[in-house]
Amino acid sequence: DEKTAVSALADDYTGLIMNSGCDAVQLIGYSFGGWLATQCAVRLVEAGKEISDLVLIDPQTVPWEIDNELITEMMFLPNAGISLPTDGTGTDAESAFAYLLEKCGRIPENAAEILAESERFADFGGLMARLEKMTREERFEFYTSGAKNSGSAPAADMLMSLYGLFSSTTRYTKGDMEPYFGDVRYINAADTEGLFFGSDKNISYWSDICIGDMEIIQAKGGHFTSVADPENASAIAELL
């Protein structure tokens, strides 16, 4: 069940930690792993364990219901350093996303149709409709085409592989999170500017979930390069 997956995983990991016999625990969660680490911390505190350190490394935030695959792809692209497609009039995906949330309270599967009916977002809705007619392989070639012209293109197949992981974790982080009453170290990837969850939005979201002191630590790189680049990863490892 998509809405209970994180809770079920947290129960399983908490059981393993409890069975280890340790008295104090350091929990580290990267990206969507921040959800899992936080929910494990909640359960361990309730069980009487000491959380010596809870570290969230550029945790991601998707506190909305998203049933449109194309929008999920657009959420992913900025994290990989890819510019988002526009409709040629300056309308961007984030504005369209905000409109859908205001109108529907979620991102519906027929987002392109709803946008096409709006005078302001009709062109963007048309762009989405054209993209939806492409295969995923064709879309990712389209996404990387601009970067190819600038000489900094990621391979489309590599991008699709990363997206597969992003998409699956996004689907399974829809449930409500229980608040954690304790201190947190929040490592923020300085170059991360995700479409719908930039640094300010992320920090604000996690500040509401983690009820305690939150230390914000800036790390070099973007969401992926902060841990994939050896130099950046070593710098984060020293903090742990």
Side-chain angles (χ1 to χ4, degrees):
D1 187 327
E2 293 182 356
K3 292 188 177 181
T4 61
V6 173
S7 178
L9 277 173
D11 289 341
D12 291 343
Y13 275 95
T14 299
L16 291 172
I17 294 170
M18 293 293 295
N19 291 336
S20 72
C22 59
D23 295 320
V25 181
Q26 181 191 42
L27 295 169
I28 303 169
Y30 164 69
S31 189
F32 289 107
W35 288 57
L36 182 58
T38 302
Q39 296 310 284
C40 284
V42 170
R43 288 157 172 74
L44 289 167
V45 168
E46 291 176 348
K49 293 294 184 181
E50 176 189 351
I51 304 300
S52 60
D53 195 19
L54 174 57
V55 184
L56 306 179
I57 303 175
D58 211 45
Q60 295 296 278
T61 304
V62 187
W64 317 283
E65 290 285 341
I66 300 175
D67 296 320
N68 184 283
E69 185 72 13
L70 187 56
I71 289 289
T72 306
E73 290 176 8
M74 292 183 182
M75 291 174 63
F76 162 76
L77 294 176
N79 288 295
I82 302 294
S83 297
L84 291 162
T86 67
D87 59 8
T89 65
T91 301
D92 59 26
E94 187 167 9
S95 298
F97 179 86
Y99 171 79
L100 289 167
L101 277 181
E102 181 179 355
K103 184 175 179 64
C104 307
R106 55 199 289 273
I107 305 300
E109 185 176 1
N110 64 332
E113 295 176 17
I114 294 173
L115 291 172
E117 295 171 356
S118 163
E119 181 178 354
R120 179 183 175 187
F121 297 105
D123 289 340
F124 195 86
L127 171 64
M128 285 188 63
R130 293 192 297 276
L131 290 172
E132 286 176 344
K133 291 179 181 178
M134 299 180 183
T135 65
R136 181 177 295 175
E137 289 79 6
E138 290 171 336
R139 285 200 301 273
F140 274 79
E141 286 290 347
F142 171 75
Y143 297 148
T144 59
S145 61
K148 287 178 180 177
N149 293 334
S150 66
S152 58
D157 56 350
M158 175 67 73
L159 199 65
M160 285 184 60
S161 178
L162 290 171
Y163 171 73
L165 177 61
F166 176 89
S167 177
S168 61
T169 51
T170 299
R171 288 198 306 273
Y172 286 98
T173 49
K174 293 182 178 179
D176 294 330
M177 290 183 67
E178 299 178 54
Y180 168 64
F181 292 87
D183 298 337
V184 174
R185 290 196 293 158
Y186 185 110
I187 299 178
N188 180 62
D191 295 336
T192 293
E193 281 303 329
L195 172 55
F196 310 129
F197 35 72
S199 296
D200 291 344
K201 294 178 184 178
N202 260 343
I203 292 172
S204 175
Y205 175 81
W206 287 95
S207 295
D208 291 338
I209 295 296
C210 300
I211 314 301
D213 292 333
M214 178 177 284
E215 179 185 3
I216 310 297
I217 304 169
Q218 299 296 332
K220 293 182 179 180
H223 183 66
F224 294 121
T225 58
S226 62
V227 295
D229 178 87
E231 182 177 344
N232 293 343
S234 293
I236 289 178
E238 290 179 6
L239 297 171
L240 307 178

